[in-house]
Amino acid sequence: MRVVVIGSGIVGAGAAYHLSRRGAAVTVVDGGFPGEATQAGAGIVCPWVDHPEDDDWYRLTREGARHYPGLVEELGEDIGYAKVGALLVAEDPVDLEPVRALLRRRHAGAPEMGEVVDVPTPVELFPPLSDTLSALLVPGAARVDGRSVRDALLAAAVARGAEVRTGTATLTPGGQVLLHPTEDQPGGPLASPASSRAVSPGDTAAVSGAAGSAAAGTDASETAAQKAARPGTEGAETDRRGAARPEAERPAAGGREAAEAAGGGDSWRQSAPVASAPSMPGVCKTPTGEGVPIEADRVIVAAGAWTGEVCLPLGVELPVFPRRGQILHATLEGVDTAWWPIILPRQGPYLLGFPDSRVVIGATVEDVGFAPRVTVGGLDEVIEAGLRVAPGLAGATVSETRVGLRPVYAPGPALIGPVTDRVVVATGLSAYGLTAGPFAGEIAAALVLGERPPIDITPYLPPRSP
């Protein structure tokens, strides 16, 4: 079977990997657009603390976390995955009780989280922390390097004959894929099928494409659903508590963010917007020419926040929109940060350590449209909040900033399933892309091959084309 995967992020790479293992002839289209979520994400794998009232979301992220140990063994290389544990921190110990109860309730069904314990002096595990914090330790939590995972998955797929091509992919109404060169990309392969690797690990320039998708700027012909799914336009920006969120982005009853709409709710990690910024026009590269057909029996659209745009020619409207996250990387010279635990406050920034004395602080949660920019206000928010939790980072060196556009499906849950008999979509993982991305790719691969997916996908099915 010939399968085209539109999108080279972690979901698309996961799909290509699983397809190639099953003998499919795979072509991945890498668009090279700015703002791709995979290369910006911090890499927290701790699903048990979130979505307390949404079993469907929790099931997807839990199974995504379970997918990693086997994937690490299969890939046989360092993808930055390590079970470092997570510290859930709060100024008042009473604030830890709801999440303690949640973890206790979920433990029997997810023993891999480990035995949750109190940590009297969390500063001993993460020295820059404020000494006023109380903490619970979730020892099964892990961190992962999203770029390394994506690169390794693509490399393994190419080693089995897959091809990665650069350019912008569009669909015809019948689901045929057309590849358009962009102004700085000839539309050729990144690596030949005979190559043993698609890229070298860490060579992010080679596979940094956001989606291989159609341009996502606003134009006069866009549909009402597209406008509704594009917060940051038409006066739909959020205030600092998310009170002005547009109707399409407000959580449906019982949906993915129903408990989190006003800045946190009962979910431990924040996912509702807390800041606004000026909206910007689309910044994606525009397809040129008529496009060259790529032969395919089936198509997977794993184009992140661009998925709705890609699928419009099929006659289906998917309100998928971008949610911006700005992240800061800091260096503590001479300090071994490789095994520091993840820090998850009740609200505010997460922090986690990586090798090379690196600490990641993030992220903003902004509905500002397709605007993959690092802003002064965004960095101020991250730094100020980060120093409240970990004042010991004040002397750290700012080494890098990143920005990504998380794909959010407005009606609620993630979006995985067929939209036509020929095309399957997999997107909408929001802040949980690095947790569930490779697993979502496996689900999509199973669907196009006519296999039974590893979990029931009924809660994630998209509307189908008429």
Side-chain angles (χ1 to χ4, degrees):
M1 177 179 286
R2 301 165 300 176
V3 182
V4 172
V5 179
I6 301 177
S8 64
I10 197 163
V11 178
Y17 171 75
H18 288 288
L19 287 165
S20 65
R21 292 188 74 207
R22 290 163 169 80
V26 182
T27 300
V28 180
V29 180
D30 168 22
F33 300 148
E36 191 257 350
T38 296
Q39 67 174 8
I44 297 170
V45 183
C46 186
W48 315 287
V49 302
D50 291 325
H51 307 115
E53 306 300 330
D54 193 328
D55 291 340
D56 297 327
W57 247 120
Y58 172 59
R59 184 181 305 111
L60 182 63
T61 57
R62 181 192 64 198
E63 296 305 312
R66 286 176 173 169
H67 187 69
Y68 265 106
L71 186 63
V72 172
E73 185 175 350
E74 291 170 8
L75 292 172
E77 63 180 84
D78 181 14
I79 58 172
Y81 179 85
K83 285 192 175 182
V84 296
L87 286 176
L88 313 182
V89 300
E91 289 284 350
D92 188 340
V94 173
D95 291 338
L96 295 171
E97 293 310 307
V99 73
R100 186 198 304 274
L102 175 65
L103 292 169
R104 185 181 297 121
R105 172 164 61 88
R106 286 177 166 175
H107 189 273
E112 64 271 18
M113 73 172 69
E115 294 299 324
V116 178
V117 296
D118 289 280
V119 179
T121 52
V123 70
E124 293 181 1
L125 299 179
F126 198 103
L129 280 181
S130 167
D131 59 10
T132 65
L133 295 173
S134 299
L136 295 177
L137 175 65
V138 184
R143 51 98 170 137
V144 67
D145 186 323
R147 294 180 176 185
S148 295
V149 178
R150 185 265 319 277
D151 289 355
L153 290 169
L154 286 179
V158 168
R160 293 187 176 94
E163 182 181 48
V164 182
R165 300 186 67 178
T166 59
T168 300
T170 60
L171 292 174
T172 68
Q176 182 183 40
V177 180
L178 302 178
L179 180 64
H180 306 258
T182 48
E183 57 187 30
D184 58 349
Q185 295 174 331
L190 284 177
S192 68
S195 173
S196 63
R197 296 186 61 80
V199 293
S200 299
D203 183 9
T204 57
V207 287
S208 61
S213 63
T218 304
D219 61 38
S221 64
E222 78 174 347
T223 65
Q226 285 175 277
K227 292 180 180 179
R230 183 171 289 123
T233 62
E234 308 266 335
E237 294 179 2
T238 61
D239 64 15
R240 292 197 63 84
R241 295 297 298 174
R245 296 165 72 193
E247 187 65 34
E249 188 241 327
R250 290 173 190 156
R256 176 180 58 77
E257 293 179 285
E260 302 153 44
D266 294 326
S267 193
W268 187 254
R269 287 199 285 165
Q270 164 198 312
S271 68
V274 296
S276 62
S279 64
M280 295 289 289
V283 295
C284 303
K285 299 171 183 176
T286 302
T288 58
E290 296 183 358
V292 177
I294 304 179
E295 296 299 323
D297 302 300
R298 302 295 296 275
V299 179
I300 294 175
V301 181
W306 292 264
T307 298
E309 299 283 342
V310 177
C311 292
L312 273 177
L314 302 175
V316 60
E317 295 186 9
L318 303 176
V320 179
F321 67 87
R323 176 164 287 164
R324 185 170 70 186
Q326 301 183 53
I327 299 173
L328 182 146
H329 290 233
T331 301
L332 290 167
E333 297 293 341
V335 179
D336 183 4
T337 58
W339 290 95
W340 285 5
I342 301 159
I343 304 300
L344 297 177
R346 174 65 184 86
Q347 287 187 16
Y350 55 72
L351 301 94
L352 64 159
F354 280 90
D356 302 324
S357 303
R358 181 162 50 105
V359 176
V360 177
I361 312 170
T364 61
V365 184
E366 306 167 88
D367 290 341
V368 293
F370 286 88
R373 302 180 301 125
V374 175
T375 66
V376 172
L379 288 184
D380 176 67
E381 177 184 329
V382 170
I383 292 171
E384 180 184 3
L387 290 179
R388 283 199 304 269
V389 176
L393 293 175
T397 301
V398 175
S399 54
E400 184 181 3
T401 58
R402 297 183 184 181
V403 61
L405 302 177
R406 311 175 186 96
V408 178
Y409 181 50
L415 188 64
I416 309 171
V419 290
T420 72
D421 292 339
R422 181 182 175 88
V423 179
V424 167
V425 299
T427 189
L429 294 176
S430 187
Y432 304 92
L434 297 189
T435 299
F439 183 63
E442 181 181 14
I443 295 173
L447 291 172
V448 300
L449 293 175
E451 300 175 0
R452 182 175 181 176
I455 63 172
D456 178 16
I457 64 166
T458 302
Y460 321 113
L461 288 175
R464 287 183 66 97
S465 175

